[in-house]
Amino acid sequence: MRKPKRILLVTGRLAEPLVRKYGKGCNVFVTPVSVAAFLTPEMIADYLKKAGIKSDDYDLILIPGLVRGSAQLIEDELGIPAFKGPRNAMDLPQTLKALREGFKPSKEVPADDLFSVDALKRVEDIRNKAKNRRYIEKALKKPWNVLIGGLPAGRDFPTRILGEVVDAPKLGIEKVIEKALYYLHEGADIVDIGMIAGETNLDFIGGIPEIHERLKEAGFEVPISFDSLNTAEIEKALDYADLFLSIDEGNLEELVTEKPVVLIPTNQREGFFPTRPAERVEFLERLKERAIDLGYRTVIPDLILEHVPHLARSITAFQLYRERNPNDIVLAGVGNVVELYDADSVGINALLAGIAKELSINLLLTTEVSAKARGSVRELRRAIDMNLFDIPKDLGFDLLLLKEKRTADWRFEPAGEVVKARARPVQLEPVYFRIWVEHGKIWVNAHRGTEALLTIVGDEPNAIIDTILEHFEISPRHAFYLGRELERAKTALKLRRSYVQEVGLFGEFYRDAHKL
């Protein structure tokens, strides 16, 4: 596609000031329609023809991203290449810059969606390269790459995520498989079986082959790692698992294996754990040498990432170890940091993934025990994908879930008369509704007194409201109330939060902040 020089931006009357502001260097055609989203390709083509726009006037026409239908009709009518721009005028500068750099927009998909698709395709290309057989064979000849089960890991491969199923014997085989499949769909590469400290559950370990087979039947032929300090448990699992965590000075000589093991700088039996970074590194290096002398084939060090207030010293230990051992495959457990900090997990996971990239930490172990850690595997996967690029910024995809990259400049001139809003008394109605979320859906019970009359289930508030109005007569105020609650329920589902009717999802942290 030839880089366009003369670009015509089409918009509605209300968005005109924003389009002119953000579409500098382009001509703007304002249709007589107030809201640009109400336009259709047929209407746009008709307005442009009536305005005398000819095929040699422009190199390209950009229509609002919210217009339904294909821009192909406009191109057919006017003979000018026509495409969909972004949904919001604030994204015009990014779109126009991309166009001048050779970006090819779509006639059906809004430009802002295409940026994400293009970036994620580049991520997929990188992943696919790391799946190529010849690439893997060549990479595994280098000392900084290893094979875990059938999964290559190391410097020449994307960071691998281990999703830990905590206290697996308590769950039983079926629930472990359910949790493992959840982790794999979220983006985990390895399923970690976490055993119960202080117990011996040998019968459960015999079910690991079934877990392997059931995951394979579901389309996931992935390694299984085993996390236990119990020598008897590890010995039994040697025939079943692909990677063994928590090998330390206390059990080192009892569990020699050619399979990969994760070595930690402790002696759990004696309660020994060096806290000073240099001491920790030196102790782990000595342990690694002993392990290799004993016959361990693949040793993966884990310096142990501690939670605040000891996070900095443990990161220092990782950095010092990496400087002294540039070729080692290294693992870090990030779940502990998230679980023991009452802050949203997404930012913590993003930062820890960034630190892992800088220190070439090749394996990240996490879990999702508490509600606040829910989604950690998905967050880590997105952060790792972002770190495949030089700087995790302006990629077309991000981890901005509650904050925004740019402030939306969305306001209009008030009418001549401005009135202050005031609430009116609410009249009780014979039918009331109870709303809850379950299994990824919004559920609504309609009640009269104590009797449940009807249950409505769906995932779109508009569809639920329409169904309610089909069956019951309610006041406009009641309908507005339901709309608000249903949107709140949908937001809770999107953010994987719990929902309680008439209880706000978020606190008042920012409410009283000074307005800039």
Side-chain angles (χ1 to χ4, degrees):
M1 177 178 169
R2 185 167 55 88
K3 296 178 184 178
K5 295 181 179 179
R6 300 168 302 162
I7 299 174
L8 179 65
L9 306 177
V10 177
T11 188
R13 288 185 298 181
L14 289 177
E16 177 188 359
L18 293 177
V19 173
R20 293 193 184 280
K21 176 180 178 181
Y22 292 106
K24 291 178 180 178
C26 301
N27 285 353
V28 178
F29 181 86
V30 183
T31 67
V33 175
S34 296
V35 181
F38 293 161
L39 288 166
T40 66
E42 292 85 357
M43 292 167 64
I44 294 171
D46 187 52
Y47 290 138
L48 292 175
K49 284 195 293 185
K50 286 180 179 177
I53 303 295
K54 298 180 179 64
S55 61
D56 57 354
D57 289 344
Y58 295 99
D59 300 319
L60 184 144
I61 296 173
L62 273 187
I63 67 174
L66 288 172
V67 171
R68 294 186 179 183
S70 174
Q72 183 65 52
L73 184 143
I74 300 167
E75 182 172 329
D76 293 342
E77 291 288 330
L78 281 91
I80 304 172
F83 300 94
K84 283 197 173 181
R87 290 183 178 87
N88 298 311
M90 287 80 74
D91 293 319
L92 275 171
Q94 181 186 11
T95 302
L96 295 173
K97 179 176 182 288
L99 282 171
R100 290 172 179 130
E101 292 174 352
F103 171 71
K104 185 177 180 180
S106 168
K107 299 182 185 300
E108 288 82 23
V109 181
D112 39 332
D113 282 356
L114 275 188
F115 291 136
S116 177
V117 169
D118 182 61
L120 292 173
K121 184 180 182 302
R122 283 183 283 158
V123 169
E124 195 61 32
D125 289 343
I126 295 170
R127 286 190 193 167
N128 288 337
K129 176 186 174 184
K131 294 176 183 176
N132 180 274
R133 183 174 58 84
R134 289 184 180 178
Y135 179 87
I136 293 172
E137 289 175 354
K138 184 178 179 181
L140 288 176
K141 293 176 182 178
K142 301 172 183 177
W144 50 78
N145 299 309
V146 298
L147 198 63
I148 301 171
L151 180 73
R155 189 192 304 174
D156 294 321
F157 299 92
T159 304
R160 305 304 192 183
I161 299 172
L162 291 78
E164 181 184 1
V165 182
V166 176
D167 293 342
K170 286 184 181 178
L171 299 178
I173 297 296
E174 290 299 323
K175 288 291 184 182
V176 167
I177 292 169
E178 181 182 319
K179 186 73 171 180
L181 286 171
Y182 162 75
Y183 281 149
L184 293 169
H185 283 293
E186 292 288 280
D189 303 289
I190 299 171
V191 174
D192 182 60
I193 303 296
M195 301 300 284
I196 303 171
E199 295 185 11
T200 301
N201 290 281
L202 301 182
D203 290 342
F204 173 82
I205 295 169
I208 292 179
E210 181 184 350
I211 297 172
H212 245 309
E213 190 59 33
R214 295 272 296 278
L215 295 180
K216 185 177 178 180
E217 289 172 2
F220 294 100
E221 194 165 359
V222 298
I224 287 183
S225 59
F226 188 80
D227 194 354
S228 172
L229 285 164
N230 184 309
T231 301
E233 288 183 336
I234 299 174
E235 284 178 339
K236 182 161 185 178
L238 285 174
D239 292 332
Y240 306 134
D242 304 293
L243 172 67
F244 296 88
L245 278 62
S246 303
I247 306 300
D248 75 350
E249 186 181 45
N251 59 17
L252 183 68
E253 297 186 3
E254 303 167 5
L255 301 163
V256 178
T257 176
E258 291 190 353
K259 289 185 176 181
V261 300
V262 174
L263 193 62
I264 56 177
T266 66
N267 187 323
Q268 298 284 344
R269 292 177 180 175
E270 298 182 3
F272 174 71
F273 172 55
T275 57
R276 291 178 54 249
E279 182 185 354
R280 192 182 309 186
V281 168
E282 291 165 3
F283 178 68
L284 189 55
E285 288 174 337
R286 291 195 299 271
L287 272 185
K288 184 181 72 172
E289 288 180 11
R290 283 178 57 194
I292 293 170
D293 289 342
L294 286 168
Y296 285 90
R297 184 174 178 181
T298 303
V299 177
I300 300 173
D302 173 7
L303 281 294
I304 301 183
L305 194 63
E306 299 172 87
H307 59 83
V308 175
H310 305 304
L311 178 61
R313 76 182 184 193
S314 59
I315 292 175
T316 301
F318 273 98
Q319 182 176 15
L320 180 59
Y321 188 92
R322 175 52 79 203
E323 289 172 355
R324 293 164 58 129
N325 303 272
N327 292 340
D328 280 12
I329 314 299
V330 176
L331 177 144
V334 299
N336 216 27
V337 180
V338 175
E339 291 282 0
L340 293 172
Y341 207 129
D342 280 347
D344 288 332
S345 62
V346 61
I348 301 174
N349 280 319
L351 185 59
L352 292 176
I355 292 171
K357 178 189 178 180
E358 289 190 31
L359 299 181
S360 191
I361 297 173
N362 318 103
L363 299 161
L364 294 178
L365 171 69
T366 194
T367 186
E368 300 183 10
V369 176
S370 68
K372 67 186 177 187
R374 196 175 298 151
S376 283
V377 170
R378 180 176 288 254
E379 292 162 8
L380 275 178
R381 170 53 58 207
R382 172 56 63 90
I384 288 168
D385 289 347
M386 292 171 67
N387 288 329
L388 293 174
F389 302 88
D390 292 335
I391 299 176
K393 184 179 182 295
D394 297 330
L395 301 175
F397 66 103
D398 53 48
L399 272 170
L400 292 167
L401 306 184
L402 298 178
K403 297 295 185 73
E404 56 189 356
K405 189 176 178 69
R406 290 178 294 277
T407 302
D409 189 4
W410 185 255
R411 61 181 184 272
F412 305 96
E413 285 297 318
E417 181 183 5
V418 178
V419 297
K420 187 176 181 180
R422 62 184 181 87
R424 299 175 63 182
V426 177
Q427 300 295 322
L428 294 179
E429 300 183 22
V431 177
Y432 64 94
F433 301 87
R434 286 286 174 258
I435 304 169
W436 75 99
V437 297
E438 189 175 358
H439 304 310
K441 299 286 185 181
I442 303 171
W443 298 71
V444 181
N445 269 358
H447 290 266
R448 182 179 285 112
T450 58
E451 180 188 4
L453 305 174
L454 181 71
T455 298
I456 300 166
V457 60
D459 47 26
E460 283 299 328
N462 283 344
I464 296 173
I465 279 287
D466 287 343
T467 307
I468 289 173
L469 294 176
E470 283 179 19
H471 290 82
F472 304 100
E473 286 190 14
I474 60 175
S475 67
R477 175 68 178 271
H478 200 167
F480 275 117
Y481 162 79
L482 289 173
R484 182 190 70 196
E485 286 298 324
L486 291 169
E487 280 294 337
R488 185 181 287 165
K490 182 178 179 180
T491 300
L493 283 175
K494 287 169 69 175
L495 295 176
R496 300 184 179 182
R497 291 179 61 106
S498 56
Y499 164 82
V500 178
Q501 192 170 348
E502 297 188 16
V503 175
L505 294 179
F506 308 106
E508 303 290 326
F509 182 77
Y510 290 110
R511 183 160 184 164
D512 297 326
H514 177 68
K515 294 181 180 179
L516 297 177

